[in-house]
Each structure stands twice: as C-alpha cells, then as structure tokens.
C-alpha cells in the first residue's frame, strides 16, 4: 500500500508559476512510476507527466511540454511538478499518482495508476 500527499497548490495570476510536491510513504515498490494528473470542473481527469524511478525517464502530455517539469527529490520519496507560464485553463484539482507496474504509464492514463493522493487545488486567474 502507498500513501500519497500533495502540497503546493494555490492561486496565481496568468503567466505565473507554482511548484507542487508529492510525498509518498508505504511500499517503496509501489512508486516505481509516479505521475501528475489534473481535473477541471466538469471534465475528465487528464494526465500531465510521469517519471520512472531509477531511470528518471519522463513523459509529458503535449499540452504541458515546455511549461511543466516533473522531477524526483533526492530522497526518492518526493516528486515535484514545477509549472511555469500558467494559464487560466490550467485551473483544476491536481493529483499525484503512483503505480508498481509502469510498462504503459507513459500513456498517462488514469487506469494505469493504483495509488492516488487527495489532490491540491490550483487556480489561475486572468
């Protein structure tokens, strides 16, 4: 079992930046891959980025490439998401996710992740 806790959400004006953090506890093998997702009101949850433990390979959704960066912390129990050039369309609840099996995690599908945090709200105003 893995427990994930997100932090760092908040309100920012368009063009601003935020850094989200996700801290994992529990089974270390359950975080072989960790990702970030978001869900806007009335919309489906969508994948943003994933990182593979050990190799630190990363994959991004096309609409965040060049703006968002996912990276691990030195303790390997924390993953951050740095978000730059934020737009009002980036508003939503942001979730950290993790999984043991990572073969298809690069596809950033909700169904490929077993563990989820409670989410942290990000609001971008114009």
């Amino acid at each position: 079992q893995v427990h994930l806790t997100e932090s760092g959400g908040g309100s920012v004006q368009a063009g601003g930046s935020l850094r989200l953090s996700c801290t994992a506890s529990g089974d270390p093998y359950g975080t072989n891959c960790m990702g970030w997702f978001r869900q806007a009101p009335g919309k489906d949850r969508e994948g943003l980025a994933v990182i593979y433990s050990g190799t630190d390979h990363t994959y991004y959704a096309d609409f965040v490439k060049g703006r968002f960066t996912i990276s691990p912390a030195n303790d390997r129990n924390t993953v951050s998401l740095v978000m730059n050039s934020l737009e009002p369309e980036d508003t939503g609840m942001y979730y950290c996710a993790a999984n043991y099996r990572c073969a298809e995690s690069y596809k950033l599908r909700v169904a490929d992740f077993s563990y989820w945090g409670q989410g942290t709200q990000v609001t971008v105003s114009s």
Side-chain angles (χ1 to χ4, degrees):
Q1 191 71 300
V2 174
H3 183 70
L4 303 173
T5 303
E6 303 96 338
S7 62
S11 297
V12 66
Q13 290 190 327
S17 300
L18 281 175
R19 182 187 183 98
L20 306 182
S21 292
C22 173
T23 300
S25 61
D27 181 1
Y29 295 105
T31 56
N32 284 339
C33 47
M34 296 183 72
W36 284 96
F37 289 73
R38 73 183 181 194
Q39 188 166 18
K43 294 188 177 181
D44 293 334
R45 192 170 298 189
E46 59 184 357
L48 305 176
V50 64
I51 187 166
Y52 288 66
S53 299
T55 65
D56 287 345
H57 286 165
T58 58
Y59 295 92
Y60 295 91
D62 287 342
F63 55 87
V64 302
K65 284 182 181 177
R67 298 194 299 130
F68 292 9
T69 303
I70 187 171
S71 60
N74 291 332
D75 62 5
R76 297 292 176 176
N77 291 324
T78 302
V79 171
S80 67
L81 184 71
V82 175
M83 306 184 293
N84 296 318
S85 302
L86 285 165
E87 305 164 351
E89 293 73 25
D90 294 314
T91 294
M93 188 68 77
Y94 281 65
Y95 297 90
C96 177
N99 206 48
Y100 169 69
R101 299 184 185 276
C102 303
E104 297 194 337
S105 296
Y106 69 94
K107 295 182 180 180
L108 296 171
R109 298 178 303 196
V110 171
D112 290 326
F113 290 82
S114 299
Y115 305 108
W116 293 85
Q118 292 300 308
T120 184
Q121 178 68 34
V122 171
T123 302
V124 184
S125 59
S126 58

